[in-house]
Structures are given as structure tokens and as C-alpha cells.
Amino acid sequence: MKIFLDTADIEQIRQAKALGAIEGVTTNPSLLAKEPGDWKKIVRQICKEIDGPVSVEVLALDPPAMLAEARDLVKIAPNIVIKVPVTLEGLKTIKELHNRGIETNATLVFSANQALLAAKAGATYVSPFIGRLDDVGQDGLQLIQDLMTIFRNYDLSTQVLAASIRSCSHFHQAALLGADAITIPLSVLLDLVRHPLTDSGLAKFLADWAKK
Ligand code: E4P
């Protein structure tokens, strides 16, 4: 299972990279909009910092314009993955990009049917948004389970990238379900490390050692 960091903040990426757990980055327009400065420079910097896939989303809504944006984005760095929303236009774009050998991340996936169609179109990754489904009273993790079953049933090579992860429990469950990759914000990554028994155990070891 790969772990990606869900951010466009270069300092956060460096912090996570130092822990040795991060194999890629996912951005989205909201995350890039929060960062001051030229977004292309930021993307270039992220791609230099991280060897693995860096997802960057197209903003256009029609296939020719999406393809034009994707062509520009892939010039930034060889590890760019084009994020495309799962709409009718997005599926056409994913298919075209697949035909041209360009990796894609089908984003804003909220149903197994959307993910299956994105996989058929040739998406490299599909990103089901767990937290946003939970936000509207649905079971985001059930979608991961359904996708793992369906993709296994038909031997689809598209990778399930669990996204919109809000908690350690989301991360744990997505890993148990066999998600191929999980993208998390830095706050969740830091929470994954913490355990009160580690802290109290360490305090006791040091206290005992001090008595020697
Ligand atoms: C994934 O690619 C998205 O950038 C992200 O996980 C969305 O998460 P959010 O629902 O917490 O904004």
C-alpha cells in the first residue's frame, strides 16, 4: 500500500518526507489555491521534492480544454498524474489520456459505478472520497470495500486510492480493506504516530534509567 500526502504545502511535504512514509502527493484546486505564489512553480517544487506520483487536477470542463491543460501539466515534470473529475467529459478525457500513455487519477468518486467506468476508460487511480460521503450520512468505507471486490472480480489494474481521509480510523480501515494507496493530510499522518502508551512507556523508561 502506498501512502500519499494530500497537500500543496511544500513545508508539510518536507516534514512528511523526513518520516520516510510518503510515496506521492495529491493536490486539488482548493489545496493549491491556499498556497501563495505561482501555482506552476509550486507544482514543480513538489515534483522535485517527491519521486513518486504527484496528482494535479485540470480545471477545464470540456475534453479538448482538459486535454490541452493536461498536455501543459505533463511538461512540468515526468511524475505528474492528471487528476480528472468523473463526469461524462472527464471519462472521455481519461480515455484520451490513457491512449496517449498519460497517467490519470479519476477524482470526486462517490460511487462504485463511477469508479468502474473510470477504470474502463483507463484511469491509473480512482479516488473515492471517504470523508465527504460520511459527511452526508453515507458509509465512505463501504465504498472502498465495494471497489476492492469489484476490481478484484474483474481483474482491473486501476488502483484504488482512498481519499478524503479524516481520521486514523479511516486510515486503518482503508488499509485493512486493501486500498492500493491512501492519501492523507499531514495532521492525520502525525496522529498515526501518536499513542499514549508510547508516551507513558517512554517516560517510565527514562525515569527508571534516571534512578540507576
Ligand atoms: C483527494 O485527492 C482530495 O484532494 C482530498 O482527499 C479531499 O479531501 P477533503 O474531502 O478532506 O477535502
Side-chain angles (χ1 to χ4, degrees), residues 165-189:
I165 296 289
R166 305 272 173 76
S167 64
C168 294
S169 167
H170 272 162
F171 180 89
H172 180 173
Q173 294 302 323
L176 273 179
L177 292 168
D180 301 290
I182 307 183
T183 189
I184 50 175
L186 182 67
S187 56
V188 171
L189 176 64

PDB file of all heavy atoms in Angstrom, residues 165-189:
ATOM      1  N   ILE A 165      -9.549  11.349   3.629  1.00  0.00           N
ATOM      2  CA  ILE A 165      -9.337  10.605   4.875  1.00  0.00           C
ATOM      3  C   ILE A 165      -9.249  11.630   6.001  1.00  0.00           C
ATOM      4  O   ILE A 165      -8.436  12.556   5.955  1.00  0.00           O
ATOM      5  CB  ILE A 165      -8.005   9.800   4.776  1.00  0.00           C
ATOM      6  CG1 ILE A 165      -8.101   8.748   3.674  1.00  0.00           C
ATOM      7  CG2 ILE A 165      -7.624   9.199   6.127  1.00  0.00           C
ATOM      8  CD1 ILE A 165      -9.000   7.584   3.953  1.00  0.00           C
ATOM      9  N   ARG A 166     -10.079  11.458   7.016  1.00  0.00           N
ATOM     10  CA  ARG A 166     -10.163  12.477   8.075  1.00  0.00           C
ATOM     11  C   ARG A 166      -9.623  12.003   9.418  1.00  0.00           C
ATOM     12  O   ARG A 166      -9.497  12.789  10.337  1.00  0.00           O
ATOM     13  CB  ARG A 166     -11.630  12.875   8.261  1.00  0.00           C
ATOM     14  CG  ARG A 166     -12.319  13.347   6.985  1.00  0.00           C
ATOM     15  CD  ARG A 166     -12.143  14.837   6.763  1.00  0.00           C
ATOM     16  NE  ARG A 166     -12.651  15.274   5.481  1.00  0.00           N
ATOM     17  CZ  ARG A 166     -13.929  15.434   5.198  1.00  0.00           C
ATOM     18  NH1 ARG A 166     -14.844  15.204   6.103  1.00  0.00           N
ATOM     19  NH2 ARG A 166     -14.285  15.844   3.989  1.00  0.00           N
ATOM     20  N   SER A 167      -9.363  10.687   9.552  1.00  0.00           N
ATOM     21  CA  SER A 167      -9.005  10.176  10.885  1.00  0.00           C
ATOM     22  C   SER A 167      -8.119   8.944  10.771  1.00  0.00           C
ATOM     23  O   SER A 167      -8.025   8.324   9.699  1.00  0.00           O
ATOM     24  CB  SER A 167     -10.282   9.774  11.634  1.00  0.00           C
ATOM     25  OG  SER A 167     -10.901   8.700  10.943  1.00  0.00           O
ATOM     26  N   CYS A 168      -7.505   8.593  11.916  1.00  0.00           N
ATOM     27  CA  CYS A 168      -6.687   7.371  11.987  1.00  0.00           C
ATOM     28  C   CYS A 168      -7.559   6.148  11.707  1.00  0.00           C
ATOM     29  O   CYS A 168      -7.113   5.177  11.107  1.00  0.00           O
ATOM     30  CB  CYS A 168      -6.063   7.228  13.371  1.00  0.00           C
ATOM     31  SG  CYS A 168      -4.879   8.516  13.723  1.00  0.00           S
ATOM     32  N   SER A 169      -8.803   6.203  12.153  1.00  0.00           N
ATOM     33  CA  SER A 169      -9.698   5.069  11.941  1.00  0.00           C
ATOM     34  C   SER A 169      -9.977   4.883  10.437  1.00  0.00           C
ATOM     35  O   SER A 169      -9.965   3.756   9.923  1.00  0.00           O
ATOM     36  CB  SER A 169     -10.977   5.305  12.728  1.00  0.00           C
ATOM     37  OG  SER A 169     -11.954   4.407  12.324  1.00  0.00           O
ATOM     38  N   HIS A 170     -10.205   5.984   9.708  1.00  0.00           N
ATOM     39  CA  HIS A 170     -10.373   5.886   8.247  1.00  0.00           C
ATOM     40  C   HIS A 170      -9.155   5.197   7.631  1.00  0.00           C
ATOM     41  O   HIS A 170      -9.277   4.316   6.781  1.00  0.00           O
ATOM     42  CB  HIS A 170     -10.457   7.294   7.630  1.00  0.00           C
ATOM     43  CG  HIS A 170     -11.839   7.858   7.573  1.00  0.00           C
ATOM     44  ND1 HIS A 170     -12.068   9.210   7.409  1.00  0.00           N
ATOM     45  CD2 HIS A 170     -13.061   7.271   7.623  1.00  0.00           C
ATOM     46  CE1 HIS A 170     -13.365   9.433   7.377  1.00  0.00           C
ATOM     47  NE2 HIS A 170     -13.993   8.276   7.521  1.00  0.00           N
ATOM     48  N   PHE A 171      -7.969   5.643   8.073  1.00  0.00           N
ATOM     49  CA  PHE A 171      -6.720   5.119   7.501  1.00  0.00           C
ATOM     50  C   PHE A 171      -6.602   3.619   7.778  1.00  0.00           C
ATOM     51  O   PHE A 171      -6.341   2.815   6.880  1.00  0.00           O
ATOM     52  CB  PHE A 171      -5.529   5.879   8.096  1.00  0.00           C
ATOM     53  CG  PHE A 171      -4.192   5.436   7.581  1.00  0.00           C
ATOM     54  CD1 PHE A 171      -3.642   6.017   6.441  1.00  0.00           C
ATOM     55  CD2 PHE A 171      -3.474   4.421   8.214  1.00  0.00           C
ATOM     56  CE1 PHE A 171      -2.414   5.599   5.950  1.00  0.00           C
ATOM     57  CE2 PHE A 171      -2.248   3.997   7.730  1.00  0.00           C
ATOM     58  CZ  PHE A 171      -1.716   4.596   6.601  1.00  0.00           C
ATOM     59  N   HIS A 172      -6.817   3.258   9.039  1.00  0.00           N
ATOM     60  CA  HIS A 172      -6.713   1.867   9.485  1.00  0.00           C
ATOM     61  C   HIS A 172      -7.674   0.981   8.680  1.00  0.00           C
ATOM     62  O   HIS A 172      -7.301  -0.065   8.156  1.00  0.00           O
ATOM     63  CB  HIS A 172      -7.037   1.855  10.988  1.00  0.00           C
ATOM     64  CG  HIS A 172      -6.976   0.517  11.636  1.00  0.00           C
ATOM     65  ND1 HIS A 172      -7.104   0.353  12.989  1.00  0.00           N
ATOM     66  CD2 HIS A 172      -6.824  -0.737  11.148  1.00  0.00           C
ATOM     67  CE1 HIS A 172      -7.023  -0.928  13.288  1.00  0.00           C
ATOM     68  NE2 HIS A 172      -6.850  -1.602  12.186  1.00  0.00           N
ATOM     69  N   GLN A 173      -8.917   1.424   8.587  1.00  0.00           N
ATOM     70  CA  GLN A 173      -9.932   0.612   7.902  1.00  0.00           C
ATOM     71  C   GLN A 173      -9.626   0.506   6.401  1.00  0.00           C
ATOM     72  O   GLN A 173      -9.786  -0.565   5.810  1.00  0.00           O
ATOM     73  CB  GLN A 173     -11.339   1.199   8.114  1.00  0.00           C
ATOM     74  CG  GLN A 173     -11.839   1.142   9.547  1.00  0.00           C
ATOM     75  CD  GLN A 173     -11.867  -0.286  10.092  1.00  0.00           C
ATOM     76  OE1 GLN A 173     -12.179  -1.243   9.391  1.00  0.00           O
ATOM     77  NE2 GLN A 173     -11.507  -0.449  11.352  1.00  0.00           N
ATOM     78  N   ALA A 174      -9.187   1.606   5.796  1.00  0.00           N
ATOM     79  CA  ALA A 174      -8.871   1.568   4.353  1.00  0.00           C
ATOM     80  C   ALA A 174      -7.710   0.608   4.100  1.00  0.00           C
ATOM     81  O   ALA A 174      -7.704  -0.134   3.114  1.00  0.00           O
ATOM     82  CB  ALA A 174      -8.542   2.971   3.837  1.00  0.00           C
ATOM     83  N   ALA A 175      -6.738   0.589   5.025  1.00  0.00           N
ATOM     84  CA  ALA A 175      -5.608  -0.337   4.884  1.00  0.00           C
ATOM     85  C   ALA A 175      -6.080  -1.786   5.048  1.00  0.00           C
ATOM     86  O   ALA A 175      -5.687  -2.676   4.293  1.00  0.00           O
ATOM     87  CB  ALA A 175      -4.520   0.004   5.904  1.00  0.00           C
ATOM     88  N   LEU A 176      -6.957  -2.026   6.043  1.00  0.00           N
ATOM     89  CA  LEU A 176      -7.483  -3.386   6.250  1.00  0.00           C
ATOM     90  C   LEU A 176      -8.248  -3.881   5.023  1.00  0.00           C
ATOM     91  O   LEU A 176      -8.213  -5.059   4.691  1.00  0.00           O
ATOM     92  CB  LEU A 176      -8.451  -3.395   7.444  1.00  0.00           C
ATOM     93  CG  LEU A 176      -7.852  -3.607   8.840  1.00  0.00           C
ATOM     94  CD1 LEU A 176      -8.968  -3.566   9.887  1.00  0.00           C
ATOM     95  CD2 LEU A 176      -7.128  -4.946   8.927  1.00  0.00           C
ATOM     96  N   LEU A 177      -8.935  -2.938   4.371  1.00  0.00           N
ATOM     97  CA  LEU A 177      -9.741  -3.320   3.201  1.00  0.00           C
ATOM     98  C   LEU A 177      -8.877  -3.531   1.966  1.00  0.00           C
ATOM     99  O   LEU A 177      -9.357  -3.978   0.926  1.00  0.00           O
ATOM    100  CB  LEU A 177     -10.814  -2.251   2.935  1.00  0.00           C
ATOM    101  CG  LEU A 177     -11.911  -2.158   4.002  1.00  0.00           C
ATOM    102  CD1 LEU A 177     -12.759  -0.899   3.816  1.00  0.00           C
ATOM    103  CD2 LEU A 177     -12.804  -3.404   3.942  1.00  0.00           C
ATOM    104  N   GLY A 178      -7.602  -3.163   2.064  1.00  0.00           N
ATOM    105  CA  GLY A 178      -6.678  -3.438   0.954  1.00  0.00           C
ATOM    106  C   GLY A 178      -6.566  -2.331  -0.074  1.00  0.00           C
ATOM    107  O   GLY A 178      -6.161  -2.612  -1.214  1.00  0.00           O
ATOM    108  N   ALA A 179      -6.911  -1.094   0.300  1.00  0.00           N
ATOM    109  CA  ALA A 179      -6.753   0.025  -0.654  1.00  0.00           C
ATOM    110  C   ALA A 179      -5.316   0.015  -1.184  1.00  0.00           C
ATOM    111  O   ALA A 179      -4.371  -0.229  -0.436  1.00  0.00           O
ATOM    112  CB  ALA A 179      -7.057   1.346   0.046  1.00  0.00           C
ATOM    113  N   ASP A 180      -5.169   0.266  -2.489  1.00  0.00           N
ATOM    114  CA  ASP A 180      -3.821   0.243  -3.085  1.00  0.00           C
ATOM    115  C   ASP A 180      -2.989   1.425  -2.622  1.00  0.00           C
ATOM    116  O   ASP A 180      -1.772   1.343  -2.523  1.00  0.00           O
ATOM    117  CB  ASP A 180      -3.933   0.274  -4.619  1.00  0.00           C
ATOM    118  CG  ASP A 180      -4.716  -0.907  -5.140  1.00  0.00           C
ATOM    119  OD1 ASP A 180      -4.192  -2.025  -5.063  1.00  0.00           O
ATOM    120  OD2 ASP A 180      -5.866  -0.722  -5.591  1.00  0.00           O
ATOM    121  N   ALA A 181      -3.664   2.540  -2.359  1.00  0.00           N
ATOM    122  CA  ALA A 181      -2.979   3.750  -1.888  1.00  0.00           C
ATOM    123  C   ALA A 181      -3.964   4.528  -1.019  1.00  0.00           C
ATOM    124  O   ALA A 181      -5.187   4.387  -1.164  1.00  0.00           O
ATOM    125  CB  ALA A 181      -2.532   4.598  -3.074  1.00  0.00           C
ATOM    126  N   ILE A 182      -3.409   5.313  -0.097  1.00  0.00           N
ATOM    127  CA  ILE A 182      -4.254   6.148   0.767  1.00  0.00           C
ATOM    128  C   ILE A 182      -3.605   7.513   0.817  1.00  0.00           C
ATOM    129  O   ILE A 182      -2.398   7.627   1.053  1.00  0.00           O
ATOM    130  CB  ILE A 182      -4.351   5.579   2.210  1.00  0.00           C
ATOM    131  CG1 ILE A 182      -4.784   4.111   2.183  1.00  0.00           C
ATOM    132  CG2 ILE A 182      -5.316   6.407   3.055  1.00  0.00           C
ATOM    133  CD1 ILE A 182      -4.969   3.470   3.562  1.00  0.00           C
ATOM    134  N   THR A 183      -4.374   8.561   0.546  1.00  0.00           N
ATOM    135  CA  THR A 183      -3.818   9.904   0.657  1.00  0.00           C
ATOM    136  C   THR A 183      -4.352  10.577   1.916  1.00  0.00           C
ATOM    137  O   THR A 183      -5.558  10.521   2.205  1.00  0.00           O
ATOM    138  CB  THR A 183      -4.071  10.746  -0.612  1.00  0.00           C
ATOM    139  OG1 THR A 183      -3.320  11.961  -0.493  1.00  0.00           O
ATOM    140  CG2 THR A 183      -5.538  11.051  -0.874  1.00  0.00           C
ATOM    141  N   ILE A 184      -3.437  11.167   2.683  1.00  0.00           N
ATOM    142  CA  ILE A 184      -3.821  11.717   3.986  1.00  0.00           C
ATOM    143  C   ILE A 184      -3.233  13.107   4.182  1.00  0.00           C
ATOM    144  O   ILE A 184      -2.137  13.401   3.692  1.00  0.00           O
ATOM    145  CB  ILE A 184      -3.333  10.814   5.161  1.00  0.00           C
ATOM    146  CG1 ILE A 184      -1.838  10.464   5.011  1.00  0.00           C
ATOM    147  CG2 ILE A 184      -4.162   9.575   5.273  1.00  0.00           C
ATOM    148  CD1 ILE A 184      -1.277   9.674   6.194  1.00  0.00           C
ATOM    149  N   PRO A 185      -3.934  13.961   4.925  1.00  0.00           N
ATOM    150  CA  PRO A 185      -3.324  15.243   5.303  1.00  0.00           C
ATOM    151  C   PRO A 185      -2.247  15.014   6.359  1.00  0.00           C
ATOM    152  O   PRO A 185      -2.239  13.966   7.032  1.00  0.00           O
ATOM    153  CB  PRO A 185      -4.500  16.050   5.863  1.00  0.00           C
ATOM    154  CG  PRO A 185      -5.560  15.065   6.194  1.00  0.00           C
ATOM    155  CD  PRO A 185      -5.306  13.805   5.413  1.00  0.00           C
ATOM    156  N   LEU A 186      -1.357  16.009   6.518  1.00  0.00           N
ATOM    157  CA  LEU A 186      -0.267  15.872   7.496  1.00  0.00           C
ATOM    158  C   LEU A 186      -0.820  15.625   8.900  1.00  0.00           C
ATOM    159  O   LEU A 186      -0.258  14.841   9.664  1.00  0.00           O
ATOM    160  CB  LEU A 186       0.613  17.132   7.480  1.00  0.00           C
ATOM    161  CG  LEU A 186       1.809  17.072   8.421  1.00  0.00           C
ATOM    162  CD1 LEU A 186       2.823  16.014   7.984  1.00  0.00           C
ATOM    163  CD2 LEU A 186       2.496  18.432   8.544  1.00  0.00           C
ATOM    164  N   SER A 187      -1.941  16.282   9.245  1.00  0.00           N
ATOM    165  CA  SER A 187      -2.487  16.122  10.601  1.00  0.00           C
ATOM    166  C   SER A 187      -2.788  14.652  10.896  1.00  0.00           C
ATOM    167  O   SER A 187      -2.497  14.144  11.990  1.00  0.00           O
ATOM    168  CB  SER A 187      -3.759  16.969  10.768  1.00  0.00           C
ATOM    169  OG  SER A 187      -4.687  16.609   9.766  1.00  0.00           O
ATOM    170  N   VAL A 188      -3.341  13.938   9.916  1.00  0.00           N
ATOM    171  CA  VAL A 188      -3.637  12.507  10.138  1.00  0.00           C
ATOM    172  C   VAL A 188      -2.338  11.715  10.217  1.00  0.00           C
ATOM    173  O   VAL A 188      -2.189  10.840  11.084  1.00  0.00           O
ATOM    174  CB  VAL A 188      -4.581  11.952   9.039  1.00  0.00           C
ATOM    175  CG1 VAL A 188      -4.713  10.437   9.146  1.00  0.00           C
ATOM    176  CG2 VAL A 188      -5.961  12.602   9.130  1.00  0.00           C
ATOM    177  N   LEU A 189      -1.369  12.054   9.359  1.00  0.00           N
ATOM    178  CA  LEU A 189      -0.081  11.328   9.416  1.00  0.00           C
ATOM    179  C   LEU A 189       0.544  11.457  10.808  1.00  0.00           C
ATOM    180  O   LEU A 189       1.010  10.460  11.378  1.00  0.00           O
ATOM    181  CB  LEU A 189       0.876  11.891   8.348  1.00  0.00           C
ATOM    182  CG  LEU A 189       2.285  11.295   8.343  1.00  0.00           C
ATOM    183  CD1 LEU A 189       2.264   9.807   7.995  1.00  0.00           C
ATOM    184  CD2 LEU A 189       3.198  12.031   7.370  1.00  0.00           C
TER     185      LEU A 189
END
